[in-house]
Amino acid sequence: MTIPAWLREVRTALSVNSQVVLYGNVRDVFLLPGEDGPQPFDLRAALSRILAEEGYPHLVVADAVAGLSPLPADAATAQAAAAVVQPDGTSPWGSWPDEESRLGRLSDAVERVVLAGSRSAILIDFASRLMPDPAHLEAAEHTFFARCDRLSRMTYPRPAGSDRRALFNPVIWAVDNERDLPVWLTAGNDDVRKIAVPLPGLGERATAAGWLAGTLSGYREASEADQHLLDRRFAEQTQGMTLRGMMAVARLAARMDTPVGDIDEAVRCYRVGVHDNPWRAPHLRKRMEDAAEEIGKHVLGQPEAIQRSVDILIRAVLGLSGAQAGTNVSRPRGVLFFAGPTGVGKTELAKELSKVIFGDPRAYTRFDMSEFAAEHSADRFGGAPPGYIGHDAGGELTNAVRQRPFSLLLFDEIEKAHDRILDKFLQILDEGRFTDGSGSTVYFSETVLVFTSNLGVTPEDYAAQAAADPRQAPLSRVELEERIRRAVKRHFTEEINRPELLNRLGDNIVVFNFIDAATAARIFDLQMSHVAKRLRAERGIDLTLTDRARQQLLGGAIGNLEMGGRGIGSHIESALVTPLARELFRHRDLRGPVAVCDVRETDGIRQVSLA
């Protein structure tokens, strides 16, 4: 294995830059080659080793919180480094004497190391904690950074002792973010090099996987070829994670006695913090066997949409979603794009899918995307950016997934959302993770995402389908699918210029049918049964409709199907429930069997006759 690229860049900077700013993944563990294979080093130890190879006998570590210490931490090194940092012979090591003198003593230590005649280097660790706000420095803070700025510009590389190479005695800053230091210290200063410490790549994770997997059950017994495949799988499963995170996964797997072949379970548990996996529950497989039939009892007239959705869920249950991508194993469990007329059961199907997966039709989180039509509303999803009010509170979406990692997320009427909102879904759909305003990463690998849309359906289509306009023939199923898919494609590629989002949706577009007269009658009877059940529970009344009353109500309900099932419900409410409530209010003591025998309208007021 090779030394990480950022460490090689630090080595190069010794002859070019007087100061180096390391930012990013600086709190991770780094694997460096050793005599017996890879060895883990933290940032301090890694820098100490690289500097030692370049002829620096010691590294002075200035911890912004804990004080000064030498590396290596042996007595001889401590004595030699102390002679540089504290020429009066007293020991400089240990915590800062007091807060007020901290920056002054640190400034003196930096200057003595930089100007020393022998090879020396100083690491200012946790430099992000030196001041509360780098944009608004207090007097002592400004003086400290001004001295560091002057040192960066007034020192030059030079040989030391028998080493004739011209190298700096560098100041190395370790910060979380490059903006954690005053901008004027680093901007436009060629003597200060900023080096990003990235998350480990696939090669580094594969090396770490081979180093860690030896502690897992079944690894040492596997063949060399199988061990290589297991290392690769472990590395792929931990995409976007630090090596510290991989070490935590290995410890968790050892504690759970997880076989190395099931390392993905340990990764999942580490990410979502939940040991139980509903996706592997035996009862879920059993529910999936009869899912299409059971859902069809509640979502009427949509057999194709139901079967298509169940097929996608079966793929999710088996863990095969995104299998064609090979390395990308963190995508959401399932993604569905429900498209079609309004009021035909898209939201209802999402609820039924929640019931099938989680046993609870309320185990979903709904986002009305019409509320996200403004550009600034994008911050509601993931939280405000750092520095803005509420950035540490997280966002509505990320908080929902953090609280319920196994859930269905419903994004209603997605076409009404602002384009910037849609960009948020690119990373979620592709990598299954999202970072909120507080910097915390939320994983969507155990969620099902459902988008709904009315694209491709016009009022004229409703009229034709309901036979309200005899001059237009209703659309066939094939014509409806072609029209809606074409409209969805046009919306994403031409209107909002987001073809990459459409590409991530793939073939998961589920098209819903119009509500025809036969289906409308079934919906009518289903909703009437709900009314009867409520009356029985609330008032002790057993409601029935005479044939005449049923035909009157049904005729009005299916006479205009432009609002689909919601329109049927609205008609039942206005034509039956409201006048019925009026009559029941007048007859306070009414109990037992009650029949509605007539429905009529007099002087614009709807009335019912009871028997």
Side-chain angles (χ1 to χ4, degrees):
M1 65 172 298
T2 60
I3 294 174
W6 67 270
L7 269 176
R8 298 199 301 270
E9 190 173 352
V10 170
R11 176 181 284 167
T12 301
L14 295 175
S15 60
V16 180
N17 305 97
S18 60
Q19 297 188 22
V20 173
V21 178
L22 301 176
Y23 66 93
N25 188 35
V26 294
R27 300 298 154 214
D28 203 359
V29 171
F30 310 98
L31 292 182
L32 274 63
E35 294 182 1
D36 299 322
Q39 294 182 350
F41 291 80
D42 63 9
L43 179 75
R44 299 180 179 187
L47 288 172
S48 177
R49 171 172 165 173
I50 291 299
L51 290 169
E53 292 175 357
E54 293 297 318
Y56 292 79
H58 58 257
L59 170 66
V60 177
V61 178
D63 190 313
V65 178
L68 293 170
S69 59
L71 278 179
D74 56 81
T77 301
Q79 184 177 359
V84 174
V85 177
Q86 197 75 20
D88 62 7
T90 60
S91 174
W93 314 127
S95 59
W96 307 110
D98 54 73
E99 183 65 23
E100 293 182 359
S101 64
R102 178 184 59 152
L103 288 179
R105 288 177 175 267
L106 177 56
S107 182
D108 291 342
V110 169
E111 188 165 331
R112 287 167 181 160
V113 167
V114 169
L115 299 179
S118 59
R119 290 272 186 257
S120 188
I122 184 168
L123 166 66
I124 305 179
D125 206 0
F126 295 97
S128 299
R129 309 294 177 261
L130 281 172
M131 62 278 169
D133 186 355
H136 301 87
L137 300 178
E138 297 181 359
E141 296 166 349
H142 187 277
T143 299
F144 167 71
F145 286 109
R147 290 181 68 179
C148 293
D149 181 43
R150 180 177 182 278
L151 281 173
S152 72
R153 302 174 189 273
M154 298 298 292
T155 55
Y156 299 92
R158 57 185 182 275
S162 60
D163 186 354
R164 307 315 301 165
R165 295 175 300 167
L167 301 177
F168 284 98
N169 281 0
V171 178
I172 304 174
W173 306 83
V175 295
D176 301 327
N177 190 293
E178 58 180 320
R179 302 184 189 88
D180 290 346
L181 295 176
V183 175
W184 50 264
L185 177 67
T186 58
N189 189 343
D190 293 336
D191 296 305
V192 178
R193 172 170 293 194
K194 293 184 288 187
I195 301 175
V197 181
L199 289 169
L202 181 61
E204 292 172 284
R205 296 200 308 276
T207 301
W211 173 61
L212 292 168
T215 62
L216 303 182
S217 174
Y219 182 82
R220 297 190 183 279
E221 293 76 15
S223 66
E224 185 175 347
D226 287 342
Q227 287 182 350
H228 178 73
L229 291 175
L230 292 170
D231 294 347
R232 183 80 178 185
R233 183 178 179 185
F234 191 5
E236 291 172 351
Q237 291 280 345
T238 52
Q239 179 182 1
M241 291 177 59
T242 64
L243 294 190
R244 281 186 182 274
M246 293 184 67
M247 294 168 66
V249 168
R251 292 195 300 270
L252 184 60
R255 179 180 177 182
M256 296 164 56
D257 198 25
T258 303
V260 68
D262 291 334
I263 191 64
D264 55 319
E265 274 299 290
V267 175
R268 181 200 59 78
C269 183
Y270 174 78
R271 282 177 165 168
V272 303
V274 179
H275 184 273
D276 296 330
N277 188 351
W279 292 103
R280 292 194 174 187
H283 61 77
L284 177 56
R285 274 177 168 264
K286 186 169 182 60
R287 284 203 298 261
M288 292 303 301
E289 293 176 1
D290 305 319
E293 182 179 350
E294 288 298 317
I295 293 174
K297 296 176 182 179
H298 303 277
V299 181
L300 306 179
Q302 306 295 342
E304 299 90 350
I306 292 172
Q307 188 59 57
R308 177 65 179 147
S309 300
V310 169
D311 289 342
I312 293 174
L313 277 190
I314 290 174
R315 190 172 66 197
V317 170
L318 296 177
L320 297 178
S321 296
Q324 72 284 354
T327 59
N328 207 337
V329 296
S330 301
R331 291 179 174 179
R333 279 278 178 167
V335 178
L336 300 104
F337 190 96
F338 290 169
T342 184
V344 297
K346 296 190 291 294
T347 302
E348 189 65 26
L349 179 54
K351 294 179 182 179
E352 290 300 318
L353 294 178
S354 294
K355 183 178 180 181
V356 169
I357 303 169
F358 308 110
D360 183 358
R362 296 165 297 181
Y364 75 99
T365 304
R366 178 180 177 271
F367 296 90
D368 186 345
M369 301 311 291
S370 62
E371 298 179 3
F372 295 86
E375 181 177 0
H376 63 79
S377 61
D379 295 338
R380 288 175 52 188
F381 256 18
Y388 288 79
I389 295 176
H391 78 276
D392 55 347
E396 294 178 19
L397 176 60
T398 52
N399 286 346
V401 177
R402 189 178 290 112
Q403 295 166 9
R404 190 185 286 175
F406 297 92
S407 63
L408 185 145
L409 304 173
L410 174 61
F411 303 96
D412 235 346
E413 298 185 288
I414 187 66
E415 73 276 7
K416 294 183 179 179
H418 191 276
D419 300 354
R420 187 182 165 200
I421 298 287
L422 300 179
D423 293 337
K424 304 287 186 183
F425 291 105
L426 293 175
Q427 185 180 14
I428 294 173
L429 293 174
D430 204 36
E431 300 180 7
R433 59 190 176 92
F434 184 72
T435 303
D436 64 16
S438 65
S440 300
T441 299
V442 178
Y443 295 94
F444 290 73
S445 56
E446 308 304 323
T447 63
V448 174
L449 274 57
V450 178
F451 304 90
T452 73
S453 170
N454 298 327
L455 290 169
V457 182
T458 66
E460 291 76 15
D461 296 328
Y462 284 105
Q465 199 68 25
D469 186 352
R471 295 171 297 177
Q472 298 187 33
L475 294 172
S476 67
R477 172 69 188 182
V478 174
E479 292 172 333
L480 180 63
E481 283 212 25
E482 289 180 353
R483 172 178 291 194
I484 289 179
R485 290 179 182 275
R486 190 163 55 246
V488 171
K489 181 178 180 180
R490 181 172 61 251
H491 176 76
F492 283 105
T493 58
E494 298 178 14
E495 296 179 18
I496 66 172
N497 194 27
R498 296 294 191 280
E500 63 276 12
L501 184 57
L502 179 64
N503 189 41
R504 283 164 174 79
L505 293 174
D507 194 35
N508 294 338
I509 299 175
V510 180
V511 177
F512 282 65
N513 297 320
F514 283 94
I515 299 296
D516 57 25
T519 301
R522 294 172 60 200
I523 294 174
F524 173 83
D525 290 336
L526 179 63
Q527 296 191 359
M528 280 303 307
S529 70
H530 294 162
V531 173
K533 187 183 297 183
R534 178 69 66 85
L535 278 171
R536 188 178 302 112
E538 296 289 339
R539 308 296 304 169
I541 294 174
D542 294 321
L543 179 71
T544 59
L545 298 177
T546 65
D547 290 342
R548 171 186 171 84
R550 183 182 182 281
Q551 290 302 320
Q552 287 175 316
L553 286 170
L554 180 59
I558 68 175
N560 185 356
L561 294 176
E562 292 186 8
M563 297 306 295
R566 290 194 188 94
I568 297 172
S570 297
H571 180 75
I572 291 175
E573 184 175 56
S574 61
L576 174 65
V577 176
T578 299
L580 179 61
R582 192 186 308 122
E583 287 296 313
L584 295 178
F585 189 76
R586 290 172 54 193
H587 302 85
R588 297 176 184 270
D589 299 328
L590 196 60
R591 289 289 188 276
V594 172
V596 175
C597 57
D598 187 38
V599 179
R600 64 190 182 280
E601 185 172 318
T602 305
D603 297 329
I605 299 176
R606 285 174 169 163
Q607 297 176 330
V608 297
S609 298
L610 305 180

